[in-house]
């Protein structure tokens, strides 16, 4: 069974690769994401390359092999199903489940995760709207748009929040912005870099960077 460190590396490479549109991930980015030194990253990437989990090109970056991607999706599947389990069965809030799942994702077997999946009724997304990889490794990622791209008068449904820091999620909760909530874009103030939205009884002004972290489907 892969070590905790190996699993953390392949998961981080996968997620950073998505942010780059599938391109190679720079070692400096990986070092920042994992809070380790660049030298530590370089040493570990050589080990992962020898295990055929990554393709590492010095001065260019690193990308996952097919085997590395399979492992990354297994770890992500565990993480997101644990989040759903904690939210539904222990009633933990969406700003609490991520950190707990980070610790637990390496300690559970794939057999247990499959049982949890069945127990939960095979959920398709986690509490933040992130898609959950299926047991066969497939991952459905339906098209969405960011809240920052909506125009005044546009109605929307919130489907995903990509910034899962507790502080940001608590801010959204206090503003009535939760997963599956319906809302309307009231105004865009380009000169101030703001978008004003109404969700339920709450009207909230969001900076464009914050609004860009909220994914919606237009109604």
């Amino acid at each position: 069974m892969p070590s905790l460190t190996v699993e953390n590396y392949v998961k981080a490479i996968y997620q950073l690769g998505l942010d780059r549109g599938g391109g190679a991930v720079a070692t400096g980015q990986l070092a920042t994401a994992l809070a380790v030194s660049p030298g530590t990253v370089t040493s570990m990437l050589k080990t992962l390359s020898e295990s055929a989990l990554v393709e590492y090109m010095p001065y260019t970056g690193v990308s996952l092999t097919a085997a590395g991607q399979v492992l990354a999706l297994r770890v992500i599947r565990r993480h997101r199903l644990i989040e759903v389990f904690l939210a539904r069965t222990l009633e933990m809030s969406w700003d609490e489940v991520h950190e707990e799942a980070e610790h637990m994702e390496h300690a559970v077997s794939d057999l247990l995760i499959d049982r949890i999946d069945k127990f939960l009724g095979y959920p398709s997304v986690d509490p933040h709207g992130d898609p959950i990889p299926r047991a066969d490794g497939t991952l459905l990622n339906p098209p969405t748009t960011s809240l920052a791209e909506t125009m005044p008068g546009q109605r929307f449904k919130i489907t995903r929040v990509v910034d899962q820091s507790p502080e940001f999620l608590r801010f959204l909760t206090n503003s009535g912005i939760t997963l599956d909530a319906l809302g309307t874009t009231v105004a865009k103030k380009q000169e101030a870099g703001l978008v004003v939205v109404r969700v339920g009884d709450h009207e909230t002004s969001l900076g464009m960077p914050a609004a860009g972290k909220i994914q919606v489907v237009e109604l």
Side-chain angles (χ1 to χ4, degrees):
M1 183 174 178
S3 69
L4 178 153
T5 301
V6 168
E7 291 188 341
N8 279 338
Y9 267 78
V10 296
K11 184 176 76 167
I13 294 168
Y14 179 86
Q15 293 173 326
L16 290 170
L18 287 181
D19 294 340
R20 293 177 58 83
V25 176
T27 55
Q29 287 181 306
L30 196 52
T32 299
L34 295 170
V36 297
S37 70
T40 298
V41 169
T42 299
S43 177
M44 188 61 191
L45 291 181
K46 291 178 181 177
T47 299
L48 294 177
S49 181
E50 292 168 358
S51 300
L53 292 172
V54 305
E55 292 182 358
Y56 173 49
M57 300 147 283
Y59 310 109
T60 300
V62 60
S63 58
L64 294 175
T65 62
Q69 181 160 312
V70 168
L71 177 57
L73 287 170
R74 281 173 53 199
V75 179
I76 291 169
R77 170 176 164 80
R78 285 187 234 138
H79 180 99
R80 294 177 180 173
L81 279 169
I82 289 169
E83 287 190 336
V84 179
F85 180 81
L86 294 174
R88 289 192 189 176
T89 64
L90 301 184
E91 299 182 353
M92 295 180 69
S93 62
W94 67 341
D95 58 278
E96 296 173 324
V97 295
H98 179 75
E99 189 64 30
E100 294 298 331
E102 282 287 305
H103 299 302
M104 297 174 66
E105 67 188 30
H106 307 289
V108 295
S109 68
D110 291 330
L111 174 62
L112 179 57
I113 284 298
D114 288 343
R115 296 289 178 87
I116 289 174
D117 192 17
K118 181 179 179 180
F119 173 78
L120 294 171
Y122 305 104
S124 60
V125 297
D126 72 9
H128 313 101
D130 288 331
I132 298 172
R134 294 174 173 173
D136 63 4
T138 56
L139 179 66
L140 299 179
N141 210 350
T144 59
T145 187
S146 81
L147 189 55
E149 296 172 329
T150 59
M151 300 304 293
Q154 178 66 59
R155 296 185 66 247
F156 58 80
K157 177 181 179 181
I158 295 169
T159 58
R160 190 176 187 181
V161 177
V162 296
D163 182 346
Q164 295 168 15
S165 63
E167 297 79 11
F168 185 63
L169 293 174
R170 284 193 288 268
F171 164 74
L172 295 183
T173 299
N174 292 335
S175 302
I177 299 174
T178 58
L179 201 65
D180 295 329
L182 304 179
T184 304
T185 300
V186 177
K188 292 185 80 168
K189 302 179 180 180
Q190 299 286 4
E191 68 283 358
L194 295 174
V195 58
V196 182
V197 299
R198 181 181 295 111
V199 179
D201 296 329
H202 296 267
E203 189 168 296
T204 304
S205 295
L206 296 164
M208 288 300 181
K213 298 172 183 176
I214 302 170
Q215 297 292 305
V216 302
V217 291
E218 298 179 345
L219 302 176

